Amino acid sequence: DFIHSLAPLKYVPHLTVSSISPALGPLTGGTSVTVTGTGFLPDSDILCVFGQASMVADFVSSTSVTCDSAPLFVSSHENIDVTSVQMQVVQIKGDISGKSNFVTFNQYWNVPSGVVQLQPVASPAAGHTRLTVTGFEGIVSSLGSSADPICKFAFSE
């Protein structure tokens, strides 16, 4: 059996986040983050939610939005070098709303002076992972010559 109805069917694309760039920023927030995924709708209210804090996002295309990272409020920074928050996108258009999957955004207490981005933000404990350090003056390359900066790493579980 079926019921005949003239109610329109509303198709809502599945909202997903496949990546964010950069995936790190200072605890103070304000890092411009490009979110790549699917299902973003024009003329909708889009928010990037970092933990409990929401930031308004700008629609770029059905596969991309941008937003600034939210500040993370901590009572003491004495033992915090890096902390991770779960980030997701929330979208509202009229009476339709959706939430994406979660991705991890890392926030740092002290980012070395001039460093804008580190890629990747994690690697195996064994090391041997190429690290790209991007600063205000562009990409620092040829790590290892006497004029280049020295990187110090710590193991964290």
Side-chain angles (χ1 to χ4, degrees):
D1 292 317
F2 67 92
I3 296 174
H4 180 70
S5 172
L6 296 178
L9 176 65
K10 293 181 183 179
Y11 170 73
V12 180
H14 185 65
L15 189 60
T16 62
V17 172
S18 54
S19 67
I20 57 174
S21 180
L24 70 137
L27 286 172
T28 54
T31 300
S32 180
V33 177
T34 299
V35 181
T36 304
T38 61
F40 304 122
L41 300 173
D43 302 319
S44 61
D45 294 321
I46 305 173
L47 299 172
C48 292
V49 181
F50 294 84
Q52 302 296 317
S54 299
M55 302 296 285
V56 174
D58 294 317
F59 176 85
V60 176
S61 70
S62 63
T63 60
S64 180
V65 297
T66 60
C67 58
D68 288 340
S69 64
L72 180 65
F73 299 102
V74 292
S75 59
S76 172
H77 68 276
E78 289 179 17
N79 293 315
I80 297 177
D81 289 326
V82 180
T83 189
S84 297
V85 295
Q86 293 300 301
M87 180 266 188
Q88 76 175 157
V89 174
V90 175
Q91 178 170 254
I92 302 167
K93 185 170 185 171
D95 60 349
I96 301 169
S97 66
K99 294 180 180 180
S100 74
N101 54 298
F102 287 97
V103 293
T104 300
F105 184 79
N106 295 301
Q107 291 187 284
Y108 293 81
W109 183 260
N110 289 316
V111 176
S113 176
V115 172
V116 175
Q117 182 175 4
L118 300 171
Q119 288 290 337
V121 295
S123 72
H128 305 289
T129 301
R130 179 177 295 275
L131 175 67
T132 301
V133 179
T134 306
F136 293 113
E137 300 299 320
I139 297 177
V140 177
S141 60
S142 306
L143 291 177
S145 72
S146 61
D148 290 325
I150 297 172
C151 296
K152 226 173 157 178
F153 300 93
F155 177 73
S156 174
E157 290 188 52

